[in-house]
Amino acid sequence: MDRAVPRSVEAVDEARQWGRLMELARIGAIPGDGVNRQALTALDREARRLLIGWAEAAGATVTVDAAANLWLRREGTDPGAAPVLTGSHMDSQPAGGRFDGIYGVVAGLEVLSALHQSGTVTRRPIEVVAWTNEEGSRFAPGCMGSMAWSGFRPVESFAGIADADGVRFGDALAEHLAAEADIPRRPLGFAPGAAPHAYIEAHIEQGPRLEAEGLEIGVVTGIQGSRWFEVTVSGDSAHAGTTPVSLRRDAVQDALRALNALNDAMHDPADVLRFTVGRIAVSPNSSNSVADMVRFSIDLRHPDAAVLGPRGDAIAGVVQAALRNCTATVAETFSAAPTEFDPGVVAAVEGAAAALECRHALMPSGAFHDAQFVSRVAPAGMVFVPSRAGISHNPAEYTAPAQLAAGTRVLAKALLDLAA
Ligand code: GLV
Ligand code: MN
Ligand code: MN
C-alpha cells in the first residue's frame, strides 16, 4: 500500500477479521456453513461475550442500553465531540449465512483493533454498535434496536410481540438484560442536541451486482422502502371426511384466493416492486382437519414512496375482496420509508474507496438495514462488499476474506476522515 494510506488502515488485519467471523459462525452453526442465531437467545449472548472479549482487548469500553443494543467505544482526544458510529447486527435468519449483519459488527471491531494496534488517536470517539433484532425473524418486525434508539418507536411498544413459541419480546429482553447485568448501562438514544456526528454501516451486498461488474466496493446511496403486513384468515375447523365442501369455512382455501389475488394486484411488469409471502402458518395444521386459521406475512418493497404507498394501501382491500366465506384482518407491522443517505457520508465512503484504489460504484440497497433508522437522526451511509452469486439469507452466503478486508479498510479510512 502507498504511504498516503494511514498506518491504522494498514493495520486492518484480514486474517484476524476472518478468524473472528469464523469463530462467531460456530455459535448457532447449521448444516451447509449456515448460521441460525436468533435475537436475545443464549446463542446471541454467547456471540456477544466473544465480541466483548475482543473489544476489551482492543481498549474499548463496553455498555448496553435498554433495548439491548451493545456499544463498544474508543475515546477520542476531544471528550465533548459527537462520536462517529459504525456497526450492524449479530442476529441471523433461521437459515442464514455467516456474514449478514455480523460482518458490519466485526468490521467495526477490526477498525478499533487496528487503531489500538497502530496507536492512532482520533479527535472524535468512535463507537461500534450491535443493534438488537435486525432480522425480525424471531420477533417481527426487524430493526427493533435501531428503531428504539432513534426514537422512531418506543422499546416498550414491542413488549407484547411473541415469537413462535409464545415468548414475548418484553420477557426475552428482560431476561437478556438480566444476563448482561454486569455490563454497564447507557441511556437509550442520545441527549437532545447530541446526535452522533455520522454513522457508517458495513454490510455484504446480498445481491449480484458487485460481483457481476468486477467491483470491490459498493458506495450505498440509499435504501428502498419496505412495508410488512400480517394477514389472518379465519374460518372454522371441521372434519375432513364428513363435512361437505359447500358447508365449510376453509381458511386454507380463502387464503389461497387472497394470495392469488395479491399476486395479480402486485405484479409489476418492470420487476421493481418486490412482493414476498415468506411465512404461512396453518391452524390446526392437521391433514384431516379443515383449517380454521391461516396467517401469512407480506414483505413489500419499492424505492419510490409514491409507488410503495398506494400498492401497500391496496393490500387490505384485495384480501377482503378475494374471500369467499371466511373473514380476514390485515395488520401493518413495519414500515420503513425509502431512504437517501447523507451526501457527506456518501462522499466520505466514496473518497475512501478512491483513496484506497478500490474499484467501486454508487448503488442503492434492496435490503433494509439499521442505517435506515439511524439516518433519521444522524448523517448515515453504508459500504457494501460483494456477495458470491448474490446469495444471501441462505447458508451458502459467501464473501472472500480479502473482499471483506477491503471493505473494512474503506470503512476504516472513512471513519478516520469523519472522526478527524
Ligand atoms: C434484511 O434482512 C432485509 O430483509 O432486508
Ligand atoms: Mn443484515
Ligand atoms: Mn438479513
Side-chain angles (χ1 to χ4, degrees):
M1 251 182 227
D2 83 48
R3 272 186 272 107
V5 175
R7 275 187 307 130
S8 55
V9 175
E10 285 183 348
V12 166
D13 185 328
E14 177 183 319
R16 175 171 57 199
Q17 174 171 267
W18 181 258
R20 286 173 174 170
L21 283 165
M22 292 307 104
E23 226 177 298
L24 284 159
R26 287 207 285 270
I27 303 173
I30 57 172
D33 280 340
V35 172
N36 177 7
R37 194 171 49 238
Q38 296 303 307
L40 304 180
T41 57
L43 290 174
D44 188 7
R45 287 188 275 282
E46 190 183 337
R48 289 159 64 113
R49 289 290 170 180
L50 199 50
L51 185 86
I52 289 167
W54 292 325
E56 286 176 342
T61 53
V62 180
T63 51
V64 64
D65 67 29
N69 298 311
L70 183 68
W71 298 81
L72 319 174
R73 178 178 169 102
R74 179 177 172 80
E75 294 301 337
T77 54
D78 181 351
V84 174
L85 305 189
T86 184
S88 192
H89 59 98
M90 300 179 74
D91 62 321
S92 78
Q93 286 288 311
R98 296 174 290 175
F99 306 98
D100 178 358
I102 194 71
Y103 166 58
V105 176
V106 169
L109 172 68
E110 183 56 38
V111 174
L112 298 190
S113 299
L115 291 169
H116 186 66
Q117 186 181 322
S118 61
T120 306
V121 186
T122 53
R123 182 173 82 78
R124 296 179 181 279
I126 296 183
E127 295 188 324
V128 180
V129 52
W131 302 108
T132 298
N133 188 38
E134 189 272 351
E135 293 289 2
S137 43
R138 179 176 180 203
F139 299 106
C143 295
M144 282 186 183
S146 52
M147 279 199 272
W149 175 85
S150 63
F152 185 75
R153 271 182 69 171
V155 67
E156 298 76 26
S157 71
F158 303 126
I161 295 171
D163 70 7
D165 299 323
V167 178
R168 294 163 68 252
F169 177 81
D171 295 332
L173 179 62
E175 183 191 3
H176 180 97
L177 290 173
E180 291 190 342
D182 59 308
I183 302 173
R185 266 306 172 89
R186 67 186 260 152
L188 179 60
F190 47 85
H197 179 65
Y199 173 78
I200 306 178
E201 181 167 347
H203 207 281
I204 56 167
E205 179 196 351
Q206 310 183 272
R209 178 169 165 198
L210 292 175
E211 183 181 76
E213 296 181 15
L215 300 170
E216 294 161 288
I217 295 292
V219 178
V220 187
T221 53
I223 303 184
Q224 69 174 338
S226 313
R227 296 178 72 177
W228 282 12
F229 301 84
E230 187 171 81
V231 181
T232 307
V233 179
S234 300
D236 290 316
S237 186
H239 195 292
T242 61
T243 316
V245 171
S246 59
L247 297 184
R248 294 180 184 183
R249 293 177 66 234
D250 184 335
V252 163
Q253 295 303 328
D254 263 5
L256 285 173
R257 292 184 187 98
L259 287 170
N260 284 328
L262 285 166
N263 276 324
D264 289 344
M266 300 298 145
H267 177 69
D268 174 12
D271 203 9
V272 177
L273 186 70
R274 305 272 152 79
F275 170 77
T276 306
V277 174
R279 172 156 39 197
I280 304 182
V282 178
S283 161
N285 205 26
S286 169
S287 56
N288 51 351
S289 288
V290 173
D292 63 353
M293 196 269 295
V294 171
R295 182 167 286 151
F296 63 88
S297 61
I298 294 176
D299 178 314
L300 188 72
R301 307 194 194 198
H302 198 279
D304 184 351
V307 176
L308 185 65
R311 290 287 192 122
D313 293 347
I315 284 176
V318 172
V319 170
Q320 298 298 346
L323 301 175
R324 187 165 293 170
N325 46 25
C326 294
T327 58
T329 58
V330 179
E332 182 159 10
T333 58
F334 177 65
S335 173
T339 299
E340 292 281 323
F341 283 142
D342 178 78
V345 177
V346 173
V349 174
E350 189 176 23
L356 298 176
E357 298 179 353
C358 292
R359 294 181 305 280
H360 63 278
L362 298 174
M363 63 186 295
S365 172
F368 63 69
H369 299 284
D370 293 301
Q372 211 156 351
F373 293 98
V374 178
S375 76
R376 293 166 174 272
V377 294
M382 293 185 73
V383 51
F384 276 173
V385 292
S387 292
R388 186 170 69 191
I391 294 169
S392 185
H393 285 189
N394 183 313
E397 196 172 77
Y398 183 77
T399 305
Q403 293 174 308
L404 294 165
T408 305
R409 286 189 196 101
V410 170
L411 176 71
K413 174 85 170 83
L415 292 173
L416 273 179
D417 293 346
L418 289 165

